[in-house]
Amino acid sequence: MPIRDALQEAMSEEMRLDENVLLLGEEVGAYNGAYKCSKGMLDEFGSKRVIDTPIAENGFAGVGIGAAMCGLRPIVEFMTFNFSLVAIDQIINTAAKARLMSAGQLSVPITFRGAGGAAYQLGAQHANSFEQWYAYTPGLKVVCPSTPYDMKGLLKSSIRDDNPVCFFESELTYSMKGPVPEGEYTIPLGVADVKKEGSDITLISWSKNVFLTLEVANALEQQGISAEVLDLRTLRPLDEDAIFTSVAKTNRVLIIQEQHEMASFGAYISHLISTRIFDELDAPVGLVSSLDVPMPYSKSLESVILPSKDRCIEAALQVLR
């Protein structure tokens, strides 16, 4: 099943189970979503539960938060999380802090979902990885799945969660197919997944870069190196035990992320490993990031800036020396 269909199934199933769940965003209704993730939902649930909004992210994010405070469970779709910057005050200063500032009287069960990160030649304003910005904020949960199975199971859990959740997808993987069970299932937030077992080095990643990381692991295997691939799936809450267990097993670790290195989530994981299980390390923690420049439109420059298979292999070999 393609990821877009897995997402559509997750939302539709939750809307059938709970009449308080609704979807709003730009083009989610008549156009079936910018990436067709809400195909057919307007016909099934009607315009009161699948709501086309104006191009006004700050406005419809605020409407969604208000609806959540009144007992509904909105799913707010951003065409990309780049556009969420227009609504970031609503997400960080209202949704994330409502429970604390109301002394527990208000909960905000809302899911903000959309594409994040670079795609092909989107230029400087539409190719940013912002998941660490939201993971920085107490009160939010941040989910970054990779496979269709994880997308569906984690989106259903996000919709049922009583806290605001930022759910990151990727424009590059909406058509990617993978097995998805027909029956009901959910995946708990905050649980990482070992996508490939290994013994020589741990490769940590999340979101679409998990697929790059698996390519790197397979290339290392051809050189006789056994790499374990750990997919975090959720950045907040973070499955620290899974990280520490894997690193304690391999004693070497490389983190692969699309963010810039400074103040990034990968740098935070490196800090956790270096301070909490330093004695388990046989080498400094490795980190591969995007180069520290705004993303250019040029296709050839874009491929240089983003983490590449060759750059990751070189970094892994450096950790293994």
Side-chain angles (χ1 to χ4, degrees):
M1 175 185 292
I3 281 177
R4 61 166 52 88
D5 291 354
L7 294 167
Q8 190 269 2
E9 276 200 0
M11 292 187 289
S12 296
E13 287 178 8
E14 293 307 300
M15 290 177 72
R16 291 179 198 124
L17 288 170
D18 184 349
E19 64 181 11
N20 290 319
V21 180
L22 67 152
L23 172 66
L24 65 159
E26 297 153 356
E27 301 181 342
V28 298
Y31 193 67
N32 292 314
Y35 302 104
K36 308 308 176 192
C37 296
S38 54
K39 186 177 181 180
M41 292 178 66
L42 176 63
D43 292 338
E44 179 175 357
F45 299 104
S47 58
K48 289 187 176 179
R49 296 183 68 193
V50 178
I51 303 168
D52 276 321
T53 67
I55 303 174
E57 286 80 4
N58 189 45
F60 65 75
V63 167
I65 292 167
M69 289 177 174
C70 292
L72 301 180
R73 290 187 178 273
I75 306 163
V76 172
E77 177 178 306
F78 294 121
M79 199 174 292
T80 90
F81 261 91
N82 294 281
F83 302 156
S84 76
L85 297 187
V86 182
I88 198 167
D89 181 58
Q90 296 280 11
I91 300 170
I92 289 180
N93 272 333
T94 304
K97 297 168 183 171
R99 186 188 298 277
L100 171 74
M101 296 180 69
S102 68
Q105 297 180 78
L106 290 174
S107 61
V108 186
I110 187 171
T111 301
F112 302 100
R113 49 159 293 266
Y120 294 125
Q121 291 184 278
L122 297 181
Q125 295 177 318
H126 292 174
N128 299 288
S129 295
F130 287 137
E131 59 268 26
Q132 81 279 17
W133 287 24
Y134 294 104
Y136 165 82
T137 304
L140 293 179
K141 295 186 177 181
V142 177
V143 184
C144 301
S146 56
T147 66
Y149 174 84
D150 290 346
M151 286 276 181
K152 181 177 178 181
L154 284 164
L155 182 55
K156 287 170 70 72
S157 294
S158 299
I159 294 168
R160 296 180 189 184
D161 202 282
D162 286 335
N163 298 284
V165 177
C166 293
F167 190 95
F168 286 81
E169 303 153 12
S170 169
E171 288 149 301
L172 292 180
T173 63
Y174 280 126
S175 298
M176 183 172 285
K177 295 182 179 179
V180 175
E182 290 186 2
E184 164 72 14
Y185 75 96
T186 59
I187 299 172
L189 306 188
V191 179
D193 184 46
V194 176
K195 289 289 193 280
K196 182 179 182 302
E197 297 268 0
S199 57
D200 295 330
I201 185 171
T202 297
L203 306 178
I204 298 175
S205 195
W206 57 91
S207 196
K208 71 174 184 288
N209 278 294
V210 168
F211 301 111
L212 168 65
T213 305
L214 286 167
E215 287 183 29
V216 172
N218 291 333
L220 291 172
E221 195 167 39
Q222 293 174 10
Q223 300 184 40
I225 299 166
S226 173
E228 181 151 299
V229 175
L230 182 64
D231 179 0
L232 295 182
R233 300 198 296 192
T234 303
L235 303 191
R236 181 188 276 266
L238 178 64
D239 191 348
E240 296 180 1
D241 288 343
I243 295 172
F244 298 155
T245 299
S246 181
V247 175
K249 171 184 170 185
T250 64
N251 308 115
R252 298 171 191 271
V253 56
L254 175 68
I255 303 157
I256 298 172
Q257 64 174 3
E258 196 172 296
Q259 299 164 27
H260 306 298
E261 184 173 306
M262 178 178 283
S264 65
F265 202 79
Y268 170 66
I269 297 171
S270 175
H271 161 75
L272 283 180
I273 295 170
S274 300
T275 55
R276 301 274 287 278
I277 55 168
F278 179 78
D279 290 343
E280 302 286 356
L281 291 172
D282 287 344
V285 178
L287 176 60
V288 176
S289 311
S290 291
L291 302 184
D292 197 23
V293 293
M295 188 65 70
Y297 180 73
S298 161
K299 187 175 182 179
S300 57
L301 288 176
E302 187 179 63
S303 63
V304 170
I305 288 165
L306 293 170
S308 66
K309 182 178 169 183
D310 289 344
R311 192 147 63 92
C312 293
I313 292 172
E314 183 181 349
L317 295 176
Q318 181 69 34
V319 171
L320 287 160
R321 286 193 185 112

